[in-house]
Amino acid sequence: MKRLAVGLAAAFVAGVAAVLMGLLVLLVGFADVDLVPSGSSVRQEGKKAYRAAVAPDVNERRGIRRADRYPHDCSKEKCVALTFDDGPVKGTGRVLDALARAKAKATFFVLGSMAAEEPGMLRRAAAEGHEIGNHTWDHADLSRLPAARIRREIRRTGDLVTRLTGVTPRLLRPPYGASNRRVVRAARSFGLPQIMWAVDPQDWRDHRPASVTHRVLKDVQPGHIVLMHDIQPGTVKAVPRVLKTLKRRGYVFVTVSELLAGELTLPGNEYRERPETEEDV
């Protein structure tokens, strides 16, 4: 019995020593963690300082380029992000032609079911430097679906776009702008921010080119995300005038990722425009 007691005591002491050693290793590890990268330009303004220092690294880990790798600095220039939903269709080609003439970039939120029918148009949009976003497979209202179906809608489209273009969508636009907690959780699981809009010309309801043009030009402001639909012939006809007029007003046309570059975009969060910061004009 005496030997047994001594053995148990020794085992207990060894176990305590191992736990203490593990805690010491953890403490040393945490001491070496630098939440603000060395050499970063940090503002001393609470949470803003943290965001300014780490945002580019966080986004780049998700495949989003740093702000200094884009041609435009949207904190100083009059940027606008034109976005086109529900394609690609044959009419998307005319939109791409107009964008090419204006030397403009845009973001296309594509449906997987439509991309499967027009793979060449999808490849062309990606090859010409436009951003491809995920608009689900068949335009279902995600807020009415169970979690597994939401993930399937997003995954099928993302996988198809990657297979056809070699580019993985980094943005999600839920159909109808309809979102809830299940949609947020699904978007987060795929690392996708939800991109809404600040300007809606309601081209899905009023198809006249003049009406579409008027609503865009009346409501747009620097930093805005504009919703349009390349499946609507009236919108396709309106695009050249929208581009010409906004260009004359001093706007530059960028993708959504370029518009938001330099800002921390969190998966699942909603974005309608570029957040204003002290650096924005």
Side-chain angles (χ1 to χ4, degrees), residues 84 91-96 98 101 203 206-214 216 228-245:
F84 297 92
T92 304
R94 293 178 59 188
V95 174
L96 291 171
R101 288 193 297 270
D203 55 347
D206 186 345
H207 308 299
R208 294 174 298 170
S211 297
V212 176
T213 302
H214 172 73
V216 171
M228 290 188 282
H229 296 81
D230 48 327
I231 62 169
Q232 299 295 346
T235 298
V236 173
K237 293 178 180 178
V239 168
R241 185 177 173 192
V242 168
L243 291 168
K244 182 178 180 180
T245 305

Side-chain angles (χ1 to χ4, degrees), residues 131-259:
E131 184 165 28
I132 307 299
N134 192 320
H135 198 39
T136 75
W137 185 261
D138 56 10
H139 210 272
D141 183 340
L142 298 183
S143 67
R144 297 177 179 271
L145 300 182
R149 175 78 186 281
I150 295 171
R151 290 193 296 271
R152 184 168 181 266
E153 285 275 336
I154 298 171
R155 183 184 298 109
R156 285 185 73 191
T157 298
D159 288 349
L160 179 67
V161 170
T162 301
R163 189 164 66 251
L164 292 176
T165 68
V167 176
T168 299
R170 301 294 178 184
L171 309 171
L172 171 68
R173 173 167 285 166
Y176 314 106
S179 185
N180 59 15
R181 291 181 181 178
R182 290 191 302 279
V183 178
V184 170
R185 284 195 292 268
R188 284 176 180 164
S189 72
F190 288 102
L192 305 173
Q194 297 187 84
I195 305 302
M196 304 303 186
W197 52 87
V199 178
D200 178 5
Q202 299 185 3
D203 55 347
W204 49 270
R205 181 173 60 85
D206 186 345
H207 308 299
R208 294 174 298 170
S211 297
V212 176
T213 302
H214 172 73
R215 290 193 180 100
V216 171
L217 298 179
K218 176 175 67 73
D219 296 335
V220 72
Q221 295 292 328
H224 275 177
I225 298 171
V226 179
L227 168 68
M228 290 188 282
H229 296 81
D230 48 327
I231 62 169
Q232 299 295 346
T235 298
V236 173
K237 293 178 180 178
V239 168
R241 185 177 173 192
V242 168
L243 291 168
K244 182 178 180 180
T245 305
L246 290 181
K247 193 171 186 178
R248 191 168 61 241
R249 293 180 184 178
Y251 282 89
V252 293
F253 305 97
V254 299
T255 64
V256 170
S257 286
E258 184 170 5
L259 182 76

